[in-house]
């Protein structure tokens, strides 16, 4: 895999150019701590909108009379909607005034959550879920916004702080939704979330600085330039693949976990399942640590170690079918490793093109959430046929692919690899086979649900 010297790029002030103009005149490398904390909290609330359903899948399925595979489709639709938002909405961050874009998307997300809350059947439920995914891309507008406000010497730390909010949002959403569902049913979760997003929109409008993108393109060329970045930037391509595989592992775990814990052997309630999200909050610690290591140029080491830990976590998760301690340990390890890969990726790609951070984020996060959609879709089929053990085999296979891809980003491996033409050909064939299998399984899932 072609890969430039990204570690040095992440540290070079010349590659981190000055961000676009700010209306308040504050220094670009000195964002207020309160602003960073607010952005972190906002990112957490925005991204949580896509995860409230995960511990409630069994309850929602029974209420709306859905099969397990159809209930899992709620997660898939949310991820696909989010991916579409990344493609169609996120590049606007390089074009529009950021504060106005963030507040408008946040308010629209409140409306889509309210639509989900009143859904009488699966059709409207999936429509509300898809719209929420599309609009809650606000979280990914805020992350490059924070990177633009920070100087090169603090960018990894600031991004890590904001991303810790994203981690907590993804994981604590499950705890909050489980607790609220226990009090007032699953619809209460979405009513409370809609109100919280409306309040957040007003707060962000008062607190965020004005900041206009400087792409200088119309919307059509802006979208085309986003796709072009994947062609022109080898670092972005490599990191997008790593992000896709890491989030596929993450999504495979959290999509299937509710079925394990609500079934024989555990028989947990929605609130109990939601509390297990607290075990994954350790990923917020990994986000902070990975950001600091990125500022020191240790992204390659962090990525490789994280990939190996992700592979090992599935061994603990397999034991977790009957042992709660092993299950919790596996969740903590998987979340730590997933965030180690993700933050390292972001620290490197944000150093590539300061004038195109919104589009770079769009390209990277689209691949990332496509991985999540693939993971959640595959796990619905695998769990139906092979149970928890099959899920763990699937997760380990995805993690092994991640380890191989991460090894391809290390200079020593690349130098050795370039001298092994036959091995490269075999790897290309194997990768094509894996992707073709994934596509066929997705088609099979769609046909199964259509019957």
């Amino acid at each position: 895999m072609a890969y430039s010297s990204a570690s040095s790029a992440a540290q070079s002030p010349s590659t981190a150019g000055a961000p676009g103009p700010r209306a308040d005149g504050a220094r670009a490398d000195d964002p207020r701590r309160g602003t960073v904390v607010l952005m972190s909290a906002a990112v957490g609330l925005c991204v949580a909108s896509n995860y409230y359903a995960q511990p409630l899948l069994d309850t929602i399925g029974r209420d709306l009379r859905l099969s397990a595979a159809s209930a899992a489709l709620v997660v898939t639709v949310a991820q696909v909607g989010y991916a579409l938002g990344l493609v169609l909405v996120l590049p606007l961050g390089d074009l529009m005034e950021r504060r106005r874009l963030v507040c408008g998307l946040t308010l629209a997300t409140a409306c889509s959550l309210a639509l989900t809350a009143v859904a009488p059947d699966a059709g409207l439920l999936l429509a509300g879920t898809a719209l929420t995914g599309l609009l809650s891309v606000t979280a990914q507008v805020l992350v490059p916004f924070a990177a633009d406000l920070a100087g090169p010497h603090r960018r990894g730390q600031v991004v890590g702080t904001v991303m810790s909010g994203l981690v907590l949002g993804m994981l604590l959403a499950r705890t909050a939704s489980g607790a609220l569902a226990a009090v007032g049913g699953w619809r209460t979760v979405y009513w409370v979330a809609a109100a919280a997003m409306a309040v957040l929109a007003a707060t962000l409008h008062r607190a965020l600085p004005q900041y206009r993108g400087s792409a200088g393109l119309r919307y059509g060329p802006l979208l085309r330039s986003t796709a072009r970045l994947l062609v022109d930037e080898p670092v972005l391509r490599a990191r997008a693949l790593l992000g896709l595989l890491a989030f596929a592992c993450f999504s495979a775990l959290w999509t299937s976990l509710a079925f394990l814990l609500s079934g024989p052997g555990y028989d947990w309630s929605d609130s109990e399942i939601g509390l297990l999200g607290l075990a994954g909050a350790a990923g917020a610690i990994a986000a902070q640590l990975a950001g600091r290591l990125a500022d020191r140029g240790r992204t390659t080491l962090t990525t490789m170690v994280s990939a190996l830990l992700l592979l090992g976590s599935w061994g603990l998760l397999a034991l977790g079918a009957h042992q709660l301690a092993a299950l919790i340990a596996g969740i903590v390890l998987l979340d730590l490793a997933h965030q180690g890969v993700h933050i390292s990726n972001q620290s490197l790609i944000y150093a590539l093109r300061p004038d195109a951070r919104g589009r770079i984020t769009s390209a990277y996060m689209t691949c990332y959430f496509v991985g999540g959609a693939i993971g959640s879709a595959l796990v619905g089929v695998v769990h139906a046929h092979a149970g928890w053990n099959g899920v763990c085999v699937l997760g380990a296979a995805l993690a092994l692919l991640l380890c191989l891809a991460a090894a391809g980003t290390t200079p020593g491996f690349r130098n050795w690899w370039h001298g092994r033409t036959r091995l490269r050909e075999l790897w290309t064939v194997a990768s094509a086979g894996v992707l073709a299998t994934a596509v066929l399984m997705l088609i099979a899932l769609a046909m199964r649900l259509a019957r």
Side-chain angles (χ1 to χ4, degrees):
M1 226 184 292
Y3 196 79
S4 62
S5 180
S7 295
S8 62
Q11 303 300 312
S12 172
S14 64
T15 63
R22 289 180 55 176
D24 61 1
R27 287 175 54 193
D29 62 347
D30 190 26
R32 297 182 183 90
R33 178 175 178 80
T35 301
V36 175
V37 172
L38 174 62
M39 294 175 83
S40 179
V43 164
L45 280 173
C46 291
V47 79
S49 302
N50 277 347
Y51 295 92
Y52 292 128
Q54 288 191 358
L56 309 176
L57 292 178
D58 186 60
T59 299
I60 293 173
R62 283 188 277 107
D63 185 38
L64 299 181
R65 298 178 182 179
L66 305 176
S67 67
S70 297
L73 191 61
V74 172
V75 178
T76 303
V77 166
Q79 302 295 1
V80 171
Y82 203 86
L84 288 174
L86 293 170
V87 172
L88 301 175
V89 178
L90 184 52
L92 291 173
D94 289 339
L95 189 63
M96 296 177 60
E97 199 279 302
R98 296 274 180 87
R99 184 178 68 179
R100 180 180 301 174
L101 178 62
V102 165
C103 294
L105 291 173
T106 303
L107 191 58
T109 304
C111 296
S112 66
L113 287 166
L115 177 64
T116 303
V118 301
D121 52 34
L124 201 56
L125 173 73
L126 294 177
T129 300
L131 284 173
T132 298
L134 180 74
L135 295 167
S136 62
V137 72
T138 313
Q140 301 306 328
V141 176
L142 284 164
V143 176
F145 193 176
D148 282 330
L149 296 177
H153 61 290
R154 289 189 59 209
R155 185 164 296 127
Q157 179 184 350
V158 169
V159 169
T161 299
V162 173
M163 286 298 297
S164 67
L166 186 145
V167 177
L168 291 173
M170 285 193 298
L171 298 171
L172 297 184
R174 301 170 176 87
T175 303
S177 65
L180 287 171
V183 173
W186 69 268
R187 296 179 191 276
T188 302
V189 176
Y190 287 95
W191 281 121
V192 172
M197 293 300 287
V199 172
L200 178 63
T203 304
L204 290 173
H205 187 267
R206 291 176 59 88
L208 289 181
Q210 292 184 335
Y211 190 106
R212 180 171 292 279
S214 57
L217 297 172
R218 293 181 181 273
Y219 184 64
L222 190 76
L223 294 183
R224 289 193 292 272
S225 69
T226 302
R228 186 68 192 176
L229 285 168
L230 281 170
V231 177
D232 294 340
E233 298 289 349
V235 173
L236 179 59
R237 285 199 306 274
R239 291 289 160 171
L241 175 61
L242 297 183
L244 183 151
L245 292 169
F247 196 53
C249 286
F250 183 91
S251 186
L253 168 64
W254 288 102
T255 302
S256 59
L257 196 57
F259 297 118
L260 171 69
L261 295 176
S262 62
Y266 283 96
D267 197 26
W268 285 15
S269 66
D270 289 340
S271 58
E272 290 171 327
I273 294 172
L275 283 173
L276 200 60
L278 294 171
I285 300 173
Q288 292 275 357
L289 178 60
R292 293 179 185 277
L293 288 172
D295 287 337
R296 299 174 185 175
R298 302 291 182 85
T299 50
T300 300
L301 176 63
T302 303
T303 300
M304 197 66 233
V305 170
S306 297
L308 291 171
L309 290 176
L310 192 62
L311 178 60
S313 70
W314 285 103
L316 289 171
L317 291 169
L319 295 175
H322 304 289
Q323 299 179 24
L324 180 59
L327 183 66
I328 292 175
I331 291 171
V332 170
L333 189 60
L334 185 143
D335 286 330
L336 285 169
H338 163 252
Q339 284 303 314
V341 174
H342 188 40
I343 301 301
S344 298
N345 290 348
Q346 290 186 306
S347 297
L348 289 175
I349 64 175
Y350 288 154
L352 296 175
R353 293 274 303 276
D355 63 318
R357 286 196 178 114
R359 284 165 287 164
I360 283 174
T361 305
S362 174
Y364 171 76
M365 293 303 299
T366 298
C367 296
Y368 181 78
F369 277 92
V370 165
I374 290 173
S376 61
L378 291 179
V379 85
V381 176
V382 170
H383 187 273
H385 290 86
W388 181 252
N389 288 334
V391 170
C392 291
V393 171
L394 171 65
L398 292 169
L400 180 59
L401 286 174
L402 173 62
C403 289
L404 294 173
T409 67
T410 61
F413 182 87
R414 290 198 309 277
N415 293 337
W416 172 82
W417 184 253
H418 287 319
R420 304 294 193 275
T421 302
R422 180 171 297 178
L423 287 176
R424 291 203 305 276
E425 292 173 349
L426 289 174
W427 168 250
T428 301
V429 172
S431 300
V434 169
L435 290 175
T437 301
V439 171
L440 289 173
M441 292 186 74
L442 286 171
I443 293 172
L445 173 62
M447 294 175 63
R448 179 184 178 88
L449 293 174
R451 286 201 298 267

